[in-house]
Amino acid sequence: VAVFKSNIHIKDMDNKIITTNAGILHHSMKWLNEKKDQDKKIAYLRNVWMQTCADLYAGGVQPAILRWSYPGSFTPAEKLQTGQLYREIVKVSPIDGNQIELDSNALTESEAVSNYAVSTGFSLQRTNVFLGIDVGGSTSDILLIATDPQTRQFKLIKQSSVRLAAGYITDAIRSSRVFRDVILKYHDNPRTNIKIPNINTLKEKEHTAPFFLNAIFDRLKGNEFEEFYSFLSRNSPQLFALPAYTTGLLLYYSGQLIAKAIQENEFLARVNRVDLFPFGKGGRMFDWLDVYPGQDLAIEYYNQCFQTGFG
């Protein structure tokens, strides 16, 4: 997990570590499987687990069960390997004798998100469904939730995971001098309040560009996101082909999934509206086109991509 807080200054990086003023940061560990990488995962997850336990104890709560989730694109071997990591973690507890069980019925990330989504009180009727797209760095998880008319309960109808995500934009930044120049131009704009140490190093070290872009995103607040997209659209509108390509394909595939779900479930026959909820690390890609070419055209484009997949 790369950290972009203002007190962390990026000096250099590769595909596994970031060298900073505060030392070495390990990142992108999810898909690494060598023994030394597994040891890093255990150390990282154990650290998070201990902090979680400490917060719970401070609030007068004692954990009894750890339930974990995994990407839907994990192979059975990857799921098994990750489960073993969590079994190591629950052996450690800040309180002697406190036995914490690992829930063997692990959830996919889509199922975990669904559990959270249905607790937030959004409205689902027989005529609409919830389409969640969790856009990560390397994969996107797609989930479809509807109301089961027999039980009147929310139900996860479909879930899928595809290796199409925000990584396409980060790959392009590495190889696009235009994109890197626009990032620097935005950063150096007198109207921009964001200041990131060492950002000029991306001129010589192109591979650091995605991390400086993420550092900018982490510092944007409220309307500043739209201002950033507007700046990009004025200075290099061709960049918007990237989020259009990625979001368009995700919605095309989502249309196919929903068409199949309706064929398989008679109670979905009355559905005439899909409520889209993009989230995750790259979920904001769906906001780019609201600024360029504009919200009305963006909605029209998204509808066309979805309906083409739906058939």
Side-chain angles (χ1 to χ4, degrees):
V1 179
V3 177
F4 304 106
K5 297 303 179 184
S6 57
N7 62 328
I8 301 294
H9 303 168
I10 300 169
K11 295 181 177 179
D12 201 359
M13 56 160 289
D14 60 26
N15 63 342
K16 292 185 180 180
I17 64 171
I18 303 174
T19 305
T20 78
N21 61 318
I24 297 294
L25 293 175
H26 300 276
H27 70 100
S28 301
M29 294 185 289
K30 182 187 289 187
W31 305 101
L32 303 179
N33 294 312
E34 294 181 14
K35 174 65 169 61
K36 60 181 181 180
D37 297 319
Q38 294 295 95
D39 290 342
K40 290 177 189 175
K41 289 183 188 180
I42 288 179
Y44 172 70
L45 290 170
R46 184 178 288 145
N47 186 24
V48 175
W49 170 239
M50 292 291 283
Q51 292 186 50
T52 302
C53 287
D55 286 344
L56 290 171
Y57 289 141
V61 179
Q62 182 169 305
I65 298 173
L66 173 63
R67 177 176 293 169
W68 63 282
S69 63
Y70 60 94
S73 54
F74 261 12
T75 64
E78 288 170 325
K79 178 185 171 184
L80 178 64
Q81 190 178 58
T82 306
Q84 291 171 343
L85 297 186
Y86 280 102
R87 265 188 285 279
E88 289 296 316
I89 291 162
V90 295
K91 294 177 182 177
V92 180
S93 172
I95 295 182
D96 289 339
N98 181 30
Q99 297 296 317
I100 302 167
E101 295 182 11
L102 181 70
D103 189 338
S104 58
N105 298 314
L107 304 173
T108 65
E109 288 177 350
S110 293
E111 290 170 327
V113 168
S114 298
N115 283 351
Y116 170 74
V118 299
S119 70
T120 59
F122 69 86
S123 177
L124 263 185
Q125 311 298 327
R126 296 184 67 181
T127 57
N128 71 314
V129 292
F130 172 106
L131 172 64
I133 303 181
D134 179 3
V135 186
S138 56
T139 62
S140 295
D141 289 331
I142 302 172
L143 56 109
L144 179 65
I145 304 175
T147 300
D148 188 324
Q150 292 185 336
T151 63
R152 296 186 179 181
Q153 298 288 320
F154 293 144
K155 183 177 181 181
L156 180 64
I157 304 297
K158 277 281 184 197
Q159 62 175 315
S160 184
S161 183
V162 292
R163 293 208 172 187
L164 173 71
Y168 276 91
I169 290 182
T170 58
D171 289 343
I173 296 169
R174 290 190 185 97
S175 58
S176 171
R177 183 181 59 80
V178 172
F179 211 148
R180 295 195 300 275
D181 287 346
V182 171
I183 292 173
L184 285 173
K185 188 175 180 180
Y186 175 79
H187 178 269
D188 296 338
N189 188 335
R191 297 178 58 186
T192 302
N193 295 321
I194 293 172
K195 297 304 171 193
I196 301 171
N198 303 328
I199 193 170
N200 284 319
T201 59
L202 64 80
K203 292 179 180 178
E204 298 81 32
K205 301 176 180 178
E206 293 108 350
H207 57 283
T208 64
F211 290 83
F212 284 114
L213 176 64
N214 274 324
I216 289 176
F217 276 132
D218 279 2
R219 288 162 173 77
L220 295 175
K221 298 177 182 177
N223 294 333
E224 291 175 344
F225 283 97
E226 288 191 4
E227 293 171 4
F228 179 58
Y229 304 144
S230 295
F231 185 90
L232 294 182
S233 70
R234 292 193 302 272
N235 289 272
S236 188
Q238 67 268 34
L239 299 177
F240 285 74
L242 292 165
Y245 169 79
T246 307
T247 57
L249 274 177
L250 287 172
L251 287 171
Y252 175 83
Y253 180 62
S254 298
Q256 292 180 319
L257 278 182
I258 290 180
K260 187 174 183 181
I262 290 175
Q263 290 175 348
E264 296 172 346
N265 299 273
E266 290 185 7
F267 68 87
L268 296 179
R270 294 187 182 182
V271 168
N272 57 27
R273 192 182 86 236
V274 176
D275 293 324
L276 171 65
F277 290 87
F279 52 94
K281 185 176 182 180
R284 284 193 175 273
M285 277 197 300
F286 284 86
D287 298 336
W288 286 45
L289 303 190
D290 286 350
V291 174
Y292 179 80
Q295 189 174 45
D296 291 343
L297 287 173
I299 292 172
E300 180 182 347
Y301 170 69
Y302 289 146
N303 270 304
Q304 286 180 358
C305 292
F306 174 82
Q307 288 167 2
T308 303
F310 187 79

